[in-house]
Amino acid sequence: MRVYLSVDMEGVAGVVHVDQTRRSGHDYERARRWMTHEANAAIDGAYDGGASSVLVNDSHADMRNFVLEELDPRVELISGSLKPLSMVQGVEPGFGCALFVGYHAGAGSRAGILDHTYFGKVVARCRVGGRDWNETAINAAVCGAVGVPVALVTGDSTVCAQAREILGEVETVSVKEAVSRYAARSLLPAAAQHRIRAAASAAVRRARDGAFAPFRPPPPFELEVEFANAACADAAELLPGTVRRSGVACAYRAGDAPALLQVLRAWTLLGSTTLT
Ligand code: ZN
């Protein structure tokens, strides 16, 4: 079974602050190694569970975070930016399941470490069909559009709860519990990696037994975003098909999940040009 692995950073054990997740941050060089080793744990687990190959996508910020000398050499890696499907670039029919590691809660969550949805400075809230959708939901829908189910989500306890609410009984590993947006009670990296390996193995084994269904909500997808301010919405409104709902909110009816993701990415890129 081919396995797809998308790895973000905010949901990695020990990470609680942007000083760890930004390239210019003081602790970034250490946090990127924790991220690399959580990916390795998921890769080990995937092979334990019967994977034939693993494709890894670096899904954080500029998407050049892994320490390649320390990443499991059995995989192939997608890295760098810009990627049309961003955090799920490279997913295609034929993968048996997708694993999301180091994920975080959606913008506007309470007690979610570094919660945001695709671009925190631009997107204050993201809803689809009237429900809050975080990156797990959006990315799972893109995977679902090509028939690939999500089998594992790891991150803080808030994103794990959100994942189960959206996707049902997927495997989850809570590596930390948020005390507030920038504080957590966390497992240490080695303990988190141990649990992630076991859960990835169980996830792939269950996927081989057909335990997970692709996440395929019926189209169209009614996307509504509340932006950080009206300038971001002014810029987003430049995209044809965008409907301005209020000073800070825009809406778009997308025909499928990849289009939904691409509109959200276009809006965030447009909105980011207004940041002062
Ligand atoms: Zn990230």
Side-chain angles (χ1 to χ4, degrees):
M1 171 183 278
R2 295 170 63 202
V3 172
Y4 180 85
L5 173 60
S6 170
V7 187
D8 202 351
M9 196 171 200
E10 289 85 352
V12 167
V15 170
V16 294
H17 195 269
V18 290
D19 201 34
Q20 298 166 306
T21 60
R22 247 181 228 152
R23 184 166 296 281
S24 58
H26 187 68
D27 279 337
Y28 171 76
E29 290 298 330
R30 298 172 66 212
R32 72 190 300 193
R33 295 186 67 219
W34 304 338
M35 175 187 176
T36 302
H37 290 278
E38 285 201 6
N40 282 344
I43 294 160
D44 278 335
Y47 281 110
D48 292 345
S52 57
S53 67
V54 180
L55 178 64
V56 182
N57 186 25
D58 188 326
S59 298
H60 175 69
D62 62 11
M63 304 185 166
R64 291 183 281 116
N65 303 285
F66 286 121
V67 179
L68 297 196
E69 296 84 351
E70 297 181 19
L71 188 63
D72 191 321
R74 291 174 291 183
V75 304
E76 284 192 312
L77 171 66
I78 298 174
S79 65
S81 185
L82 193 150
K83 298 181 284 200
L85 291 180
S86 193
M87 298 177 76
V88 278
Q89 182 68 31
V91 75
E92 60 187 17
F95 283 104
C97 66
L99 313 178
F100 294 169
V101 166
Y103 270 47
H104 52 80
S109 296
R110 183 170 181 182
I113 294 295
L114 297 166
D115 66 288
H116 66 277
T117 302
Y118 267 97
F119 200 146
K121 287 182 181 164
V122 173
V123 175
R125 202 88 190 229
C126 175
R127 293 189 184 88
V128 175
R131 290 184 68 190
D132 282 314
W133 270 33
N134 59 12
E135 292 172 6
T136 298
I138 296 164
N139 298 341
V142 175
C143 293
V146 291
V148 179
V150 174
L152 170 71
V153 178
T154 82
D156 68 16
S157 56
T158 303
V159 74
C160 289
Q162 291 176 353
R164 288 190 297 271
E165 193 180 317
I166 297 156
L167 302 173
E169 290 306 310
V170 291
E171 294 285 336
T172 57
V173 179
S174 170
V175 302
K176 57 193 170 186
E177 187 167 347
V179 175
S180 66
R181 191 167 195 262
Y182 300 129
R185 173 175 173 156
S186 180
L187 296 178
L188 294 181
Q193 291 154 25
H194 187 73
R195 291 196 197 182
I196 289 169
R197 179 172 183 165
S201 173
V204 171
R205 207 168 284 129
R206 287 178 64 198
R208 290 170 65 209
D209 291 339
F212 306 108
F215 180 53
R216 270 184 168 143
F221 295 85
E222 305 284 354
L223 171 67
E224 184 170 334
V225 165
E226 281 174 32
F227 291 95
N229 58 49
C232 293
D234 292 340
E237 201 180 358
L238 294 172
L239 187 74
T242 300
V243 177
R244 187 74 170 260
R245 285 271 171 81
S246 73
V248 296
C250 289
Y252 190 98
R253 175 175 289 193
D256 57 32
L260 165 83
L261 174 55
Q262 290 187 334
V263 168
L264 180 62
R265 293 290 295 128
W267 279 354
T268 57
L269 289 173
L270 288 164
S272 70
T273 65
T274 70
L275 296 175
T276 54

